[in-house]
Amino acid sequence: MPSPIEKLQKFFKLEAERGYDNRAVVGGLDKIVPAWDTEAQTLNYPETLIETVRTRLLNYPNLESEERSQALADLLTLLKEFQSEHPQLAANQAQPAAPRKPIPPARPKPARPVEAGPADDLLPPPPAAPNLRPARPVPPKSEPVQGLDAPLTVISGIGTRYAQSLRSLGLETLNDLLYFFPRRYDDYSQFKPINRLEYGDELTVLGTIQSIIVRPIRGGQSQLTEAVITDGTGFLRVTWFNSPYIANKLKSGDQIVLSGKVDMYLGRKVMNNPDWESLEQEHLHTNRIVPVYPLTAQVTQKNLRRILHQTVTFWASRLTDHLPNSVREETNLPDLSTAIRNAHFPDSMDSLTAARRRLAFDEIFLLQLGVQRQKQSWQSLTAQVFEPPAGWLDEQIQRLPYELTNAQRKALADLESDLRSGRPMNRLLQGDVGSGKTVVAGLAAAVVIQAGAQVAFMAPTSILAEQHYRSLSRLLAAEDGSNLLRPAEIALLVGDTSEAEKAAIRSGLADGSIRLVIGTHALIEDPITFQRLQMAVIDEQHRFGVAQRAALRGKGENPHLLVMTATPIPRSLALTLYGDLDLAVMDEMPVGRMPIETHVLHPLERERAYHLLRTQIEQGRQAFIIYPLVEKGEREDDSKAAVEEHQRLQREVFPHLKLGLLHGRMRPDEKEQVMARFRDGEYQILVSTSVVEVGVDVPNATVMLIEGANRFGLAQLHQFRGRVGRGPDQSYCLLIPESENAVENERLVAMEQSSDGFVLAERDLEQRGPGDFLGSRQSGFMELKMASLTDVRLIEIAREQAQKLFAMDPELQLPEHANLSRVFDRFWAATKGELS
Ligand code: ADP
Ligand code: MG
């Protein structure tokens, strides 16, 4: 067995091969944290190592693909260092860990029936008898929750070894199993024969493998698995990139099910990197809609489906519904038993939809109850009061080279009143890109600093941290003592800060001689202590996990907390997801900003775009050209499109200009250098992938050209657009989609019509659902398995219901809420009190 270190290395390698799609581990890399943690603790790895791995991995799903590669590279370096420093320790293996909280089954497990066959529990028992047999004796009615907390080994056919494999899917108890939902459903009535496939179809195909081979490509650096599938009506060529193991699992003559997108290659229909599964006859014939579950090594679809069928069949009807009847009646949702049954084995698509609605409702409802409670408990804490002398803040505002907008004044007034309140500020400052959040946060920080306390300011990337460092230094510091601080009292702490400098900053923060520190997650990963941290500011908060926000806050005693975001979350969603935070919205741009002229161009009109770039550059301006990340599989790495296009543009299109290149595979210091050179005008054009997204400020840039624009959400395109139009000159945003696909391109036209991030976010929400937005909140503190699939209306209904219930029984003490209270505790158990 590999050591915990080797396991990580293996996962990371696999993840890199997959192009950082966060699918090397089922459910996402963050899912390995609990098991890994336990093993690492057992082996007494250093706490700092464990902590770093934990925070980095928990945040991993939140990162853009490019940052992911960086995050893993960083961790690999760390692991390497650890291996060379403690070779013995790093090679040790943990003993198979016992379940962390072993809860004995309510009753002893029934002896395995003799006909269950060989003792090896990886082998499925014979199919005939066990399917509908109760998993275990009926538990006494009085302890339903205890029954569902029983370990999986109570199910016949699951022994300790198999239970171990299921653990890596996050399954430890019967309850986990009931809430382990299919990642998709195959509706076998919806198949299309191969001869009727059309380009662009996304569907399932069923056929027999005629041939399957693996061949080396790119001079042997990569491998392509190629299969030809037939269903009697035609042939389909299927390829998988760098997955030679598939050829070991499949052979010609096997029947398989493929799900994916139909593409064209040399005039013929192909599928690239489809999901695949061996065909399982018995389920096709018994169920029309078949659940397909996430898998892991040693757990087959067939076996898992059998176990779930058995468990759901037995348990679903025995579940007590935790939703009060009144709520269920008012919302017209199915009861829990029906919902769980139909979420796994639906008898129609309608019953599936209703089931998912109900389960999504539960998640939002419980989330909202928790958020309400959290808010109440925040409000019961005391914090230090900060109230500057009368007129002091106005003086600071007078020093600014510009007038604050009304929105900025209003937001600042909110922050002032929070600081005065004696309760910890817990506020989300939401403002479109360029609305001027930094100065507002900076002025609030000034209030805290002038009273002698310290402030920490955390940003997701070093480029951004450095930018804040410079603008806050400009705002708050002067060499000659004519401002609040001296330059030496402000520090910048990022990953690349030298060890010597870090040590100096650490001691300056500990003894209070540094009053304001700006940094990346280095702020929480390094063992930093503050003399008196009274305010924490987190910029682009959605890029941080809950654990990281809590870690920063934990460096002080009930410090005031300000989180900022440029993601314009629609209000109804913000209230649901961030209901524990007070909201300040800046919906106004500084005066004098000219609207950015935006055009969607056809791919054939690219030359026009280049012409505009040239004209602008002749006038001394600069331009961005953005390329999307290339999807996994076909390309070797994410940055390839940008790298190739950079070369082509430099050679063929703009031979007389200087073009910089920025992508996620570059080291942070390299990125920083390129950004700095662009900012300083050494490059006229910056070719970049989406790493440039976050708030970097280059006022002289006036053109934002986005290739493959259809691949981005409107909210993200709006963020890109916000990179230009920051100076006095007319700016342009040109969107070039990959194809003439009418629907997609109509979506992009919204960018021409609106410059309001909130409007665009609403559109995104209508078109793509709330998944993107929910994702930003969910990591680390709970899993919204169903809610991201649902609609905003349901979210609003769930919020209303939760508020009503909270108003009536905030502690869930009424007897009719006893069940709800138990489910609530279970739902929130992992992260009590650590919401934001
Ligand atoms: P964001 O809200 O996107 O973080 P920034 O804080 O980076 O925006 O501000 C964007 C730019 O606008 C900065 O260059 C900043 O100096 C400038 N700025 C901020 N407030 C005003 C204002 N009231 N008037 C003019 N310029 C402003
Ligand atoms: Mg910003």
Side-chain angles (χ1 to χ4, degrees):
M1 232 179 81
S3 77
I5 295 288
E6 290 159 346
K7 276 187 205 160
L8 286 188
Q9 289 167 332
K10 229 175 63 196
F11 283 134
F12 293 176
K13 183 157 169 277
L14 187 62
E15 177 72 5
E17 285 167 8
R18 300 189 53 101
Y20 306 98
D21 63 356
N22 195 23
R23 284 168 63 183
V25 178
V26 175
L29 277 194
D30 52 322
K31 295 297 177 298
I32 57 184
V33 169
W36 191 87
D37 242 15
T38 318
E39 279 186 45
Q41 309 254 19
T42 319
L43 289 168
N44 279 325
Y45 283 4
E47 192 48 47
T48 48
L49 175 70
I50 299 183
E51 179 61 37
T52 310
V53 171
R54 188 190 299 140
T55 27
R56 278 308 194 69
L57 287 186
L58 286 178
N59 193 35
Y60 188 78
N62 299 337
L63 301 179
E64 302 293 327
S65 182
E66 309 216 329
E67 298 159 338
R68 288 179 176 175
S69 96
Q70 187 59 47
L72 295 193
D74 291 351
L75 284 176
L76 281 171
T77 315
L78 204 73
L79 297 179
K80 258 240 169 70
E81 280 168 11
F82 175 61
Q83 272 175 322
S84 63
E85 281 163 26
H86 311 274
Q88 205 59 43
L89 193 52
N92 280 350
Q93 301 162 7
Q95 296 307 311
R100 266 189 299 178
K101 273 182 274 164
I103 299 162
R107 290 199 188 166
K109 175 183 168 184
R112 191 199 297 267
V114 191
E115 74 269 27
D120 184 351
D121 54 45
L122 293 184
L123 288 178
N131 259 7
L132 295 175
R133 196 188 46 213
R136 32 164 299 171
V138 183
K141 262 267 142 163
S142 61
E143 42 170 328
V145 175
Q146 162 68 12
L148 284 172
D149 275 336
L152 296 178
T153 44
V154 302
I155 298 174
S156 72
I158 299 187
T160 44
R161 256 174 73 192
Y162 197 56
Q164 197 71 27
S165 305
L166 291 172
R167 267 189 71 173
S168 56
L169 289 169
L171 301 175
E172 295 191 22
T173 65
L174 294 179
N175 193 66
D176 295 342
L177 208 52
L178 290 179
Y179 281 86
F180 184 67
F181 298 117
R183 71 187 152 85
R184 66 159 207 272
Y185 303 81
D186 280 340
D187 185 344
Y188 289 104
S189 60
Q190 300 292 319
F191 280 80
K192 228 181 182 182
I194 290 177
N195 66 350
R196 299 216 339 253
L197 297 183
E198 283 171 42
Y199 172 77
D201 278 352
E202 281 186 60
L203 45 55
T204 305
V205 172
L206 188 153
T208 308
I209 298 179
Q210 192 173 59
S211 64
I212 181 161
I213 56 157
V214 180
R215 62 183 178 88
I217 54 171
R218 298 187 214 287
Q221 287 184 7
S222 310
Q223 290 173 304
L224 197 69
T225 305
E226 271 183 315
V228 176
I229 312 291
T230 177
D231 65 353
T233 73
F235 296 92
L236 179 67
R237 180 175 175 266
V238 179
T239 66
W240 289 280
F241 184 77
N242 264 352
S243 312
Y245 65 93
I246 294 177
N248 296 331
K249 295 204 167 175
L250 297 174
K251 57 181 186 316
S252 64
D254 284 356
Q255 292 210 301
I256 67 168
V257 184
L258 299 162
S259 294
K261 192 166 172 188
V262 178
D263 225 324
M264 295 297 274
Y265 179 71
L266 302 178
R268 270 182 284 169
K269 284 165 210 155
V270 298
M271 266 192 184
N272 297 316
N273 302 301
D275 281 341
W276 62 277
E277 234 115 36
S278 296
L279 192 58
E280 287 134 29
Q281 295 291 352
E282 70 269 38
H283 280 288
L284 289 186
H285 294 298
T286 50
N287 296 70
R288 277 159 50 87
I289 301 171
V290 175
V292 179
Y293 294 97
L295 296 180
T296 181
Q298 269 126 29
V299 177
T300 63
Q301 191 61 251
K302 196 168 166 178
N303 218 4
L304 195 54
R305 206 177 279 151
R306 180 188 62 77
I307 289 167
L308 269 150
H309 191 259
Q310 186 181 324
T311 311
V312 169
T313 306
F314 180 78
W315 276 102
S317 59
R318 290 171 173 79
L319 294 171
T320 332
D321 201 334
H322 51 265
L323 272 195
N325 278 337
S326 59
V327 174
R328 228 181 53 231
E329 277 155 23
E330 281 178 41
T331 50
N332 196 19
L333 290 163
D335 65 49
L336 186 63
S337 300
T338 310
I340 291 282
R341 194 179 309 111
N342 284 330
H344 289 280
F345 299 95
D347 40 32
S348 69
M349 279 299 174
D350 286 346
S351 66
L352 174 60
T353 308
R356 302 192 85 137
R357 252 178 84 79
R358 157 67 207 252
L359 296 166
F361 177 93
D362 278 10
E363 289 172 356
I364 301 292
F365 185 74
L366 293 170
L367 168 65
Q368 189 60 33
L369 281 179
V371 158
Q372 299 276 345
R373 204 179 267 195
Q374 183 68 36
K375 180 158 199 171
Q376 212 178 38
S377 88
W378 270 106
Q379 287 173 341
S380 69
L381 295 175
T382 53
Q384 195 177 330
V385 173
F386 291 97
E387 190 162 19
W392 186 85
L393 196 58
D394 285 333
E395 250 169 63
Q396 306 304 309
I397 295 173
Q398 291 305 319
R399 306 165 63 108
L400 296 174
Y402 43 73
E403 287 276 305
L404 288 184
T405 64
N406 283 329
Q408 283 173 317
R409 286 179 188 279
K410 233 174 104 229
L412 186 58
D414 284 342
L415 301 187
E416 271 185 88
S417 94
D418 290 348
L419 290 172
R420 246 194 334 255
S421 70
R423 283 183 274 116
M425 170 193 299
N426 193 28
R427 192 173 283 275
L428 175 65
L429 176 57
Q430 209 184 22
D432 212 341
V433 274
S435 59
K437 294 183 289 296
T438 317
V439 67
V440 172
L443 289 168
V447 170
V448 172
I449 292 168
Q450 64 83 34
Q454 290 169 302
V455 175
F457 207 113
M458 185 159 75
T461 64
S462 22
I463 295 180
L464 209 54
E466 200 218 339
Q467 183 178 301
H468 286 324
Y469 172 69
R470 275 187 282 105
S471 60
L472 291 172
S473 295
R474 224 178 303 134
L475 179 70
L476 302 174
E479 205 53 85
D480 61 5
S482 63
N483 204 336
L484 182 59
L485 295 172
R486 307 246 178 200
E489 292 171 308
I490 306 186
L492 173 70
L493 183 80
V494 295
D496 312 338
T497 309
S498 73
E499 265 318 311
E501 230 177 302
K502 275 185 182 167
I505 293 173
R506 275 198 291 269
S507 84
L509 287 172
D511 67 23
S513 56
I514 293 175
R515 313 281 292 284
L516 171 61
V517 64
I518 296 134
T520 55
H521 45 244
L523 281 178
I524 45 178
E525 277 164 15
D526 290 334
I528 288 176
T529 55
F530 287 82
Q531 187 212 25
R532 206 180 140 206
L533 178 68
Q534 288 291 345
M535 181 174 184
V537 181
I538 298 179
D539 194 20
E540 308 292 345
Q541 62 81 28
H542 60 286
R543 307 289 278 263
F544 292 100
V546 176
Q548 292 166 313
R549 296 195 283 262
L552 185 60
R553 215 174 55 220
K555 304 247 172 201
E557 257 178 61
N558 297 344
H560 294 282
L561 177 71
L562 174 64
V563 298
M564 307 201 286
T565 182
T567 312
I569 303 164
R571 191 168 176 83
S572 65
L573 261 187
L575 287 174
T576 305
L577 295 174
Y578 302 102
D580 55 326
L581 305 181
D582 294 313
L583 204 56
V585 178
M586 301 204 311
D587 51 4
E588 183 188 0
M589 288 290 165
V591 285
R593 293 271 163 83
M594 256 185 277
I596 299 164
E597 241 183 71
T598 302
H599 302 281
V600 179
L601 299 181
H602 292 292
L604 292 174
E605 296 174 301
R606 190 167 279 115
E607 201 42 54
R608 271 180 63 198
Y610 293 157
H611 180 71
L612 176 71
L613 255 75
R614 284 196 199 95
T615 335
Q616 284 291 305
I617 289 165
E618 277 163 20
Q619 296 170 23
R621 306 282 93 80
Q622 290 166 284
F624 291 96
I625 304 181
I626 306 288
Y627 288 89
L629 297 178
V630 175
E631 273 173 8
K632 63 171 165 131
E634 285 290 271
R635 302 277 193 157
E636 269 160 51
D637 71 62
D638 291 345
S639 15
K640 187 152 179 163
V643 175
E644 282 176 358
E645 284 297 307
H646 172 255
Q647 283 179 3
R648 183 186 72 86
L649 291 166
Q650 179 73 78
R651 256 202 321 260
E652 297 169 21
V653 187
F654 304 110
H656 305 300
L657 301 179
K658 282 182 115 182
L659 275 65
L661 172 65
L662 193 72
H663 61 75
R665 296 229 154 180
M666 294 162 61
R667 288 198 319 269
D669 57 324
E670 292 173 324
K671 283 193 226 167
E672 202 108 13
Q673 270 171 20
V674 172
M675 242 2 263
R677 290 212 186 108
F678 182 61
R679 184 193 58 215
D680 300 341
E682 280 182 47
Y683 298 126
Q684 285 98 30
I685 298 178
L686 184 65
V687 176
S688 174
T689 56
S690 58
V691 281
V692 82
E693 182 188 353
V694 179
V696 182
D697 207 7
V698 183
N700 191 44
T702 55
V703 186
M704 168 59 65
L705 169 59
I706 304 172
E707 292 278 359
N710 52 301
R711 288 179 182 254
F712 298 104
L714 296 178
Q716 199 183 5
L717 289 172
H718 181 67
Q719 295 280 326
F720 290 137
R721 180 166 59 184
R723 299 302 110 232
V724 296
R726 302 193 145 225
D729 309 293
Q730 176 63 53
S731 288
Y732 304 87
C733 174
L734 306 174
L735 304 167
I736 308 188
E738 284 164 315
S739 71
E740 309 272 338
N741 181 326
V743 179
E744 267 299 313
N745 298 348
E746 190 173 341
R747 186 173 71 91
L748 295 178
V749 170
M751 293 290 296
E752 292 181 349
Q753 294 165 344
S754 179
S755 58
D756 184 331
F758 286 92
V759 171
L760 293 169
E762 292 279 3
R763 292 267 186 113
D764 251 357
L765 196 60
E766 280 163 26
Q767 288 159 349
R768 293 156 51 112
D772 292 359
F773 298 105
L774 290 175
S776 71
R777 183 81 211 236
Q778 84 185 67
S779 82
F781 73 113
M782 62 181 314
E783 255 189 295
L784 301 179
K785 293 176 185 161
M786 289 290 186
S788 56
L789 304 166
T790 189
D791 54 280
V792 181
R793 181 75 196 117
L794 181 71
I795 289 176
E796 281 168 4
I797 294 171
R799 182 161 59 88
E800 280 161 23
Q801 290 290 340
Q803 281 175 337
K804 217 154 95 177
L805 191 89
F806 187 80
M808 180 171 67
D809 182 17
E811 300 291 325
L812 301 179
Q813 284 166 331
L814 295 178
E816 64 265 36
H817 296 152
N819 236 316
L820 178 61
S821 169
R822 251 197 306 259
V823 171
F824 176 86
D825 288 345
R826 184 204 286 275
F827 190 73
W828 285 97
T831 49
K832 236 183 208 121
E834 288 301 356
L835 239 160
S836 49

